[in-house]
Every structure is written in C-alpha cells, then in structure tokens.
Amino acid sequence: MTDKKYTRVLLKFSGEQLSGDFDGGIDPKICTWLASEIKPVLEHKVELIIMVGGGNFARGERLAGNGIKRVTADHIGMLGTLMNALAMTDIFEAQGIATRCLSNIFATQVAEQFIHRLANKHLEKNRVIIVAGGIGRPYITTDTAAVSLALELDCQVVLKATKYDGVYDKDPNKYSDALKIENISHKEVLSNNNIKIMDKAAIGLAMDHDLPIIIFEAMKKKNILNTVLGHTSGSIIS
Ligand code: UDP
C-alpha cells in the first residue's frame, strides 16, 4: 500500500487480456467493461496513457521461423497491437471517453502518428491516449515499450495489468506454495529467475530511471481506480 495519488500513469494491457472468453482476437465486452472501470479514474483528473500488447494476434518471438524473419515477425506483432488499439479507441469513445490512438508504426491512414508533443497535448486536454506499435522497433516487447513510453511522457508509474494479483516468488500456476511479495526492488526481480511477471529488459530500464512498476489484476472491479489512487492490492516494484 502507498498513500500516493498518481497524476499521470501508464497502464499496460496484454493482448491476451482483451480476448476475454475468445481464443484470440478482441472481445468487445472486455473493452467496454474496461472503459467503465477507467471512467472513474479520469474523474480524479488522472492523465492516462494505455499501451496495449498484441499477443492475442501474434508474438514475434513465436512467429519467427520457417522463412519468416524475426524482424518481419515483430512487424506482424506490432500490427496486432495496432488492431487492439484501434478497437479499444472506438469502444472507449463509444462509452464517452475522449480517446486518441497514436501509432509508433507508420499507419497514417488509420491512426495519428505518435509525436511526443502531440501526445502531451492530448493528455493536457484530458484525452486518454492509446499507443499502438510499442516503440516501433523489433526485438522489443510491449512491456519494455511501456517503460520507455512512461519515461518519455513523465509518468510516475507503470501499471502492468496481469491475470495475477501481484509478484510471486515462483509461478503461482505451477506451485501452490508460491508466495506473493507486496514490495520488491527492481534489483531483486532482475536477479530472481523464478520471477517472470515482466521482461527483464523492462525491469532493467525502469531500474535505471527509478520508475516504479505496479503488477496488479485489472480485471477485478475497482482495481484500476484503487491502484491509481495509491491503494493497490497488487505488488510494487520500486
Ligand atoms: N513488438 C515489437 N516492438 C515493440 C512492441 C512489440 O516488435 O516495440 C512486437 C513483438 O513481436 C511482440 C508483439 O509485437 O511480441 C506483440 O507484443 P507483446 O508480445 O508485448 O504483446 P502482449 O504479450 O503484451 O500481448
């Protein structure tokens, strides 16, 4: 628990979380529910940047091979994130949340190009921005892209939404005696190979710049709001 209220946060969703009951792709019901959870956050005058993954469509690391170059596979992965971001933007707008989709891959026909000043302008106008394409370069996941973007936009924290309610000392799916760790340092996460909740590259970048990360379960009512208000039930990496 902290007693901090954040005023600018980066919220990271994986593509998988947007699939809901489907095997892949986007379940609009999930995005609609997320919009209803995010509305009260905005009422607290919190500026919100969302980075969305693309694993519900493709992950470069898995797709590469059999003739598909890693770089091409990563391009396909980034396009997956764009599909998620476009759908989410429309659904948020339909729910009355002013939202802009900014893309870090060139896709000017379908989204605005990510430009640092433009992103800040949208945020100052209380618009949610949903960033597609990670940071637009291969060999990176959206976890690392999320930390990079949070630093670029002066966010106070990265909120990583996961299916787990925090950091565990080992995989809670495999080990029934896995213990939740409420507060842990970046360094401890980096040095413990049993902790795989987030890419080590992302943790390392956050550590170098003293950026806290909160791992929490977003799909539970009020968890996003409580986390933003500093009362998370998740784990804080700092
Ligand atoms: N990706 C990339 N550069 C980036 C962000 C993402 O190349 O800056 C590619 C990478 O192949 C990645 C895929 O896009 O696997 C989808 O993102 P990610 O795996 O992070 O999605 P998530 O697991 O969060 O759904």
Side-chain angles (χ1 to χ4, degrees):
M1 282 251 197
T2 69
D3 55 1
K4 205 188 287 169
K5 175 188 174 297
Y6 301 106
T7 51
R8 185 178 276 197
V9 305
L10 188 139
L11 181 55
K12 157 78 208 298
F13 290 107
S14 71
E16 225 173 37
Q17 285 169 311
L18 306 186
S19 293
D21 291 336
F22 301 155
D23 287 339
I26 304 155
D27 181 348
K29 283 201 301 290
I30 295 286
C31 296
T32 304
W33 184 82
L34 285 174
S36 72
E37 289 294 296
I38 278 166
K39 261 189 193 169
V41 172
L42 302 172
E43 282 159 17
H44 284 268
K45 300 269 167 268
V46 175
E47 294 172 341
L48 186 64
I49 298 120
I50 296 178
M51 163 80 60
V52 65
N56 50 333
F57 289 111
R59 285 204 180 93
E61 198 180 0
R62 274 195 220 153
L63 188 64
N66 297 305
I68 303 179
K69 291 178 199 149
R70 173 62 193 262
V71 170
T72 309
D74 282 335
H75 288 159
I76 295 168
M78 286 188 263
L79 290 172
T81 71
L82 179 58
M83 289 194 272
N84 284 331
L86 287 173
M88 208 176 197
T89 302
D90 267 15
I91 293 171
F92 276 30
E93 291 246 297
Q95 296 301 314
I97 300 175
T99 310
R100 294 292 182 274
C101 177
L102 300 183
S103 177
N104 262 320
I105 45 174
F106 302 110
T108 43
Q109 216 172 357
V110 297
E112 291 174 46
Q113 189 66 31
F114 180 90
I115 295 168
H116 178 79
R117 277 175 186 274
L118 177 62
N120 271 319
K121 276 220 173 92
H122 284 319
L123 292 169
E124 282 155 17
K125 289 183 179 169
N126 300 315
R127 294 173 183 145
V128 170
I129 62 171
I130 302 184
V131 176
I135 54 164
R137 313 307 316 169
Y139 291 97
I140 298 259
T141 68
T142 48
D143 276 358
T144 310
V147 172
S148 164
L149 184 66
L151 291 168
E152 176 176 350
L153 293 176
D154 287 324
C155 296
Q156 293 129 358
V157 67
V158 171
L159 310 178
K160 180 174 152 85
T162 69
K163 57 184 169 192
Y164 302 111
D165 63 348
V167 176
Y168 283 78
D169 63 346
K170 50 195 164 199
D171 187 345
N173 247 349
K174 284 192 201 151
Y175 302 96
S176 56
D177 62 339
L179 287 176
K180 183 173 163 185
I181 310 168
E182 283 184 3
N183 286 283
I184 187 166
S185 69
H186 297 96
K187 210 171 171 185
E188 284 169 300
V189 176
L190 275 182
S191 61
N192 186 339
N193 286 332
N194 292 325
I195 299 178
K196 295 190 166 74
I197 196 80
M198 197 170 192
D199 291 359
K200 300 289 186 201
I203 302 286
L205 183 61
M207 180 173 79
D208 286 349
H209 298 279
D210 272 334
L211 178 67
I213 299 169
I214 299 180
I215 308 290
F216 78 113
E217 196 181 358
M219 299 300 174
K220 263 199 176 160
K221 212 165 173 36
K222 285 203 171 169
N223 264 10
I224 299 176
L225 178 65
N226 288 336
T227 297
V228 169
L229 296 181
H231 310 297
T232 190
S233 56
S235 299
I236 303 173
I237 305 171
S238 61

